[in-house]
Amino acid sequence: DNIIQLKDLHYHYPDGTHALKGITITIPKGQVTALLGGNGAGKSTLFQHLNGILKPSSGEVFFDGQPVDYSRKGLLNLRQAVGMVFQDPDNQLFSASVYQDVSYGVLNLQLPKDEAQRRVEHALERTGISHLRNKPTHALSFGQKKRAAIAGVLAMEPQVLVLDEPTAGLDPKGISEIMQLLLETQKGMDLTILIATHDIDIVPLYCDRVFVMDEGEVVLEGTCGEVFAKR
Ligand code: ADP
Ligand code: ADP
């Protein structure tokens, strides 16, 4: 089963930069897929198409078999289904306490209060930061901030979790902790995970499939076994 499909996706920025040049890929449900590529390869441009921040110049994006609906309501639904964790947690955290930060998105979903609280508790536990709930977010370590940013997205209970460079800025212990946490979450919450990274070391260890991007094109794809056997 595929959760996301891109068909011959092209994207031109307003200044004319041709950032995506005919991307055709399918992302299988319930796996961890890596998008590997150097700076400028087009990873973040591609990711911004997955929750409708960017609209293709040409080509199509499908979510769960349906073409993305770019109406206001369609985009609200898509953004709940596809959760984004940015590279720099400071862009995602701005409340007075960890609890408030992790609650921020879920409180906008107009859920019954006890359901919202249940989700926040669950996300805090999953990411191992329950004990930090009353701390001001700015007082957290970088790794703790990353966890708080992930928790806030998990509390929305997305179907797909998209992470931009989740291991950037972490030491080896922090990297393995965050990747283990993501793998356990993928299984525990039946998520599809998509990771943009230039950290080739994490890919065979933690990912099922990989797409390698270069200059706006997918130049290699397959299971980690296939792709890394070719190197
Ligand atoms: P990556 O995430 O792999 O580093 P990006 O998607 O950020 O790559 O960039 C892909 C290409 O698009 C690069 O050539 C980059 O310079 C260009 N680009 C990114 N953002 C913009 C923008 N806002 N305006 C014009 N060009 C951009
Ligand atoms: P209020 O809306 O009553 O001013 P808050 O915005 O501080 O209160 O919190 C709203 C709800 O979120 C509270 O009723 C409480 O159940 C929950 N809450 C807030 N902070 C925490 C916390 N640190 N731990 C657990 N639950 C909390």
Side-chain angles (χ1 to χ4, degrees):
D1 256 15
N2 297 314
I3 187 95
I4 291 170
Q5 268 186 291
L6 307 179
K7 287 195 184 158
D8 198 19
L9 185 67
H10 286 261
Y11 187 74
H12 296 267
Y13 279 102
D15 72 355
T17 305
H18 194 179
L20 299 177
K21 302 171 182 165
I23 305 280
T24 299
I25 60 176
T26 57
I27 311 287
K29 225 177 238 184
Q31 294 197 353
V32 180
T33 297
L35 196 59
L36 192 61
N39 277 331
K43 304 183 297 297
S44 23
T45 306
L46 191 155
F47 273 7
Q48 291 178 73
H49 283 79
L50 304 182
N51 71 353
I53 293 176
L54 294 179
K55 202 175 167 179
S57 304
S58 69
E60 275 186 294
V61 181
F62 294 83
F63 182 81
D64 219 358
Q66 299 293 116
V68 166
D69 164 10
Y70 291 93
S71 70
R72 194 174 166 276
K73 189 164 174 291
L75 288 178
L76 280 175
N77 289 334
L78 185 67
R79 282 170 198 166
Q80 192 184 325
V82 181
M84 292 269 176
V85 180
F86 299 108
Q87 177 167 356
D88 182 357
D90 286 332
N91 289 338
Q92 211 154 345
L93 305 169
F94 37 76
S95 306
S97 72
V98 169
Y99 189 93
Q100 285 176 345
D101 256 322
V102 174
S103 313
Y104 180 81
V106 86
L107 290 180
N108 286 326
L109 298 181
Q110 264 128 30
L111 297 166
K113 193 174 174 181
D114 56 346
E115 170 64 9
Q117 286 178 352
R118 182 196 67 73
R119 289 186 179 197
V120 173
E121 290 302 329
H122 181 232
L124 288 167
E125 278 164 34
R126 275 238 165 261
T127 51
I129 56 170
S130 292
H131 62 297
L132 301 172
R133 65 178 63 215
N134 293 321
K135 276 218 174 199
T137 313
H138 65 78
L140 300 184
S141 74
F142 184 72
Q144 290 168 338
K145 283 184 186 175
K146 284 241 174 193
R147 287 163 184 261
I150 292 170
V153 176
L154 287 180
M156 313 268 290
E157 298 196 346
Q159 290 172 259
V160 180
L161 183 65
V162 176
L163 303 109
D164 194 6
E165 301 285 357
T167 61
L170 297 175
D171 61 16
K173 183 161 169 281
I175 291 175
S176 97
E177 283 175 0
I178 213 104
M179 293 307 299
Q180 286 299 339
L181 178 167
L182 290 173
L183 286 194
E184 279 159 28
T185 302
Q186 188 273 317
K187 294 192 185 80
M189 294 177 78
D190 195 22
L191 271 177
T192 301
I193 294 186
L194 202 54
I195 293 174
T197 187
H198 58 252
D199 184 354
I200 197 165
D201 295 337
I202 64 165
V203 177
L205 288 175
Y206 302 107
C207 303
D208 301 304
R209 291 188 70 80
V210 58
F211 293 95
V212 183
M213 286 187 75
D214 187 37
E215 296 193 5
E217 293 181 289
V218 172
V219 292
L220 199 58
E221 68 172 276
T223 65
C224 282
E226 289 163 0
V227 167
F228 288 94
K230 283 180 197 156
R231 289 175 75 220

